[in-house]
Amino acid sequence: MSRLGELLERGDELIITGEAPVIDGGTLADYEAKLAELAPWCDAMNATDNTAAHAHASNVAMAIAMQRLGVEPILQVVCRDKNRIAQQADIMGAALHGVENICCLTGDDVTAGDESEARRVFDLDGPQLIRLASSLREGRYLSGRSVGTPPALVIGAVENPGAPPLDYRAQRAAKKIMAGARYLQLQICYHPDRLEAFVAALHQGGWTERCAILPSVVAVKGAGPLRFMDASVPGISVPAEVIGRVADAAEPAEEAYRLVREQCEHALSLPGVRGLHLTDFRKDGSMARLCTDLGIKPRSEREQHAHHRVVAV
Amino acid sequence: MGLVSALEHVVKKPIWDCRMCGQCVLHDTGMTCPMTCPKTLRNGPCGGVREDGHCEVKPEMRCVWVKAEERSRTLPLMPQDWREHFNNLRPPVDNRLQGTSSWQNLLSGRDRETPPGWTPEPAEAEQAEA
């Protein structure tokens, strides 16, 4: 079983996932260099599926590359570019290479990308894709045909706690959990009150016992990326005071660091939150600083610690 | 298009902008057609809904699912179980039914046929309250 799967079964330890950088061209060595900063801190990293509707090296190829480089991948699968036949083929194809973690998303629309004229697919939607993955895990394709030996898929999904209809988001998350999601990577949320209400609803409903909630944080260097996310990333709103706080600071990069650290501390303080999903746009060594400041040990140390504990018992 | 599907289209197109998917779920979705969502999502809003409740793809349009969620709670004269079905997991669209009459498919049960590998709702689905 994957490390992520083991952590989910153990049920109490911190889980750190990360958004692996995309790669457009180059070699495995180039990719290794790109992963180097964030990978040591993560239990698993997302092999993204054409993020923001931009073509990149494929999710399956990146996942296999990560495995070769000693990084545990999470195969992200979106519904925008492929129909149900191709989605099943990707999941089973990656599983053939030992990729067990998958994360099911509806996906950004083609209009979010740089090829808006492309045909959008959306043969399935996010919750249906989760259920489909559950079927594969149980040993059959959607058609009912046997997959032979079922892959030990560790199925996850995403949810956005900060986008309308706000009062419905926790129910939608619950729907995904019922469909088979065992962890949820949340969209970055710059409204702490919304994140709190969302997590509290899931926690009170008992859903956090069945599913690990991993709020996202995005480390940026200044107000520019915050403005960009607010204006251009669908479903993300960044309040003017948050942008102003960074823009007007004497040292914007330092203030942006403080912001992301506060976001981590806040998220981890919420009952029902199991860990974090990290995205790094700073690429200046901040990931090591952030994890150290938060008291989060590198993956290798956390693995050892868990092992010792098992031995002690 | 047969006579019944033509009649269905005449009735449902002006009111709900019906796309004739042939497997109507209007009653479960606050009498709001999910096929009018640019992503044709049948299971709730995507994560791209704008701060003003409008669509990621068509900024001038209110999100179909924001509307559906609101209507599923507030529309008068709607049976209670229709409201409760709102959060049900709806199966993938059967693309073979495009253009056929959902009324006929409802009567024949054809609209409730799902792929053999699509597992039924687990029992706990009934208690989906978050």
Side-chain angles (χ1 to χ4, degrees):
Chain A
M1 188 190 284
S2 69
R3 170 161 170 83
L4 181 61
E6 280 175 16
L7 283 169
L8 290 169
E9 280 201 353
R10 289 212 285 267
D12 53 350
E13 288 160 56
L14 184 74
I15 297 174
I16 302 293
T17 60
E19 193 85 342
V22 296
I23 187 153
D24 289 321
T27 63
L28 271 189
D30 297 327
Y31 194 46
E32 187 169 24
K34 278 189 162 228
L35 295 175
E37 189 175 341
L38 190 50
W41 304 95
C42 297
D43 296 299
M45 293 182 87
N46 291 8
T48 54
D49 190 0
N50 297 329
T51 46
H54 289 66
H56 298 291
S58 78
N59 52 348
V60 176
M62 281 199 288
I64 295 169
M66 274 188 219
Q67 275 197 320
R68 284 204 211 163
L69 298 169
V71 176
E72 182 168 311
I74 297 173
L75 181 77
Q76 202 180 64
V77 184
V78 307
C79 297
R80 177 193 55 244
D81 305 324
K82 293 183 175 180
N83 71 7
R84 62 192 83 174
I85 298 173
Q87 288 174 311
Q88 292 176 94
D90 280 351
I91 296 169
M92 294 308 295
L96 188 64
H97 290 271
V99 177
E100 293 177 338
N101 305 325
I102 66 167
C103 187
C104 305
L105 288 71
T106 299
D108 293 316
D109 187 64
V110 292
T111 48
D114 55 359
E115 299 185 62
S116 302
E117 72 280 17
R119 178 190 289 250
R120 60 174 70 86
V121 179
F122 298 108
D123 184 31
L124 300 184
D125 59 30
Q128 291 166 349
L129 178 59
I130 298 165
R131 178 54 69 85
L132 174 145
S134 300
S135 289
L136 293 174
R137 188 172 186 266
E138 288 157 16
R140 61 190 180 281
Y141 288 102
L142 203 51
S143 68
R145 182 162 47 90
S146 168
V147 303
T149 309
L153 296 179
V154 179
I155 303 166
V158 300
E159 187 50 61
N160 187 343
L166 293 171
D167 291 340
Y168 176 65
R169 288 290 169 182
Q171 282 184 61
R172 180 165 157 78
K175 180 176 188 164
K176 291 177 176 177
I177 298 168
M178 277 191 295
R182 295 171 63 203
Y183 62 95
L184 285 179
Q185 295 175 329
L186 306 185
Q187 176 63 289
I188 172 71
C189 182
Y190 287 92
H191 300 264
D193 53 324
R194 294 181 188 178
L195 178 64
E196 265 178 54
F198 174 86
V199 174
L202 287 179
H203 195 53
Q204 282 156 19
W207 297 103
T208 52
E209 285 163 32
R210 295 170 54 178
C211 180
I213 307 298
L214 309 173
S216 278
V217 291
V218 179
V220 298
K221 251 184 182 163
L226 296 175
R227 284 197 196 96
F228 173 80
M229 280 192 272
D230 184 51
S232 306
V233 181
I236 299 182
S237 89
V238 188
E241 56 270 26
V242 175
I243 297 174
R245 172 185 157 182
V246 174
D248 302 338
E251 291 178 88
E254 190 56 23
E255 193 60 32
Y257 175 78
R258 276 196 284 271
L259 173 69
V260 75
R261 195 183 64 201
E262 281 169 26
Q263 287 178 309
C264 292
E265 287 164 348
H266 174 253
L268 291 171
S269 75
L270 302 175
V273 164
R274 187 68 198 282
L276 295 170
H277 178 65
L278 307 175
T279 301
D280 178 29
F281 289 142
R282 289 174 68 104
K283 306 191 195 314
D284 62 351
S286 295
M287 287 297 110
R289 181 183 172 198
L290 181 65
C291 290
T292 308
D293 281 358
L294 293 167
I296 297 170
K297 301 221 165 3
R299 167 186 164 142
S300 55
E301 280 182 45
R302 282 186 281 132
E303 261 176 331
Q304 246 173 5
H305 174 72
H307 180 65
H308 284 156
R309 219 172 46 173
V310 171
V311 170
V313 170
Chain B
M1 192 181 273
L3 186 63
V4 180
S5 47
L7 181 66
E8 182 173 344
H9 192 63
V10 167
V11 174
K12 286 163 78 174
K13 173 73 183 170
I15 306 178
W16 292 292
D17 195 14
C18 169
R19 306 297 165 94
M20 294 301 287
C21 70
Q23 47 220 293
C24 190
V25 290
L26 268 177
H27 51 288
D28 283 354
T29 55
M31 303 308 285
T32 310
C33 174
M35 303 314 275
T36 61
C37 160
K39 298 182 183 176
T40 62
L41 304 182
R42 310 261 296 184
N43 284 294
C46 73
V49 183
R50 291 166 191 269
E51 190 67 0
D52 62 359
H54 281 224
C55 172
E56 163 191 348
V57 184
K58 298 181 179 171
E60 69 284 2
M61 182 178 89
R62 201 157 172 245
C63 165
V64 169
W65 280 98
V66 167
K67 229 163 31 182
E69 195 273 334
E70 187 182 288
R71 287 183 183 170
S72 77
R73 288 182 287 107
T74 58
L75 265 192
L77 305 175
M78 218 166 66
Q80 188 57 29
D81 59 336
W82 289 11
R83 297 188 203 280
E84 287 165 2
H85 289 169
F86 182 75
N87 207 36
N88 283 0
L89 181 64
R90 281 165 282 277
V93 168
D94 185 336
N95 289 287
R96 292 169 296 188
L97 298 183
Q98 178 65 43
T100 64
S101 165
S102 74
W103 294 343
Q104 283 178 325
N105 296 334
L106 176 70
L107 286 175
S108 69
R110 177 67 183 82
D111 67 344
R112 292 183 295 286
E113 285 176 22
T114 55
W118 181 262
T119 50
E121 294 272 339
E124 61 228 302
E126 305 297 317
Q127 303 142 23
E129 308 246 339

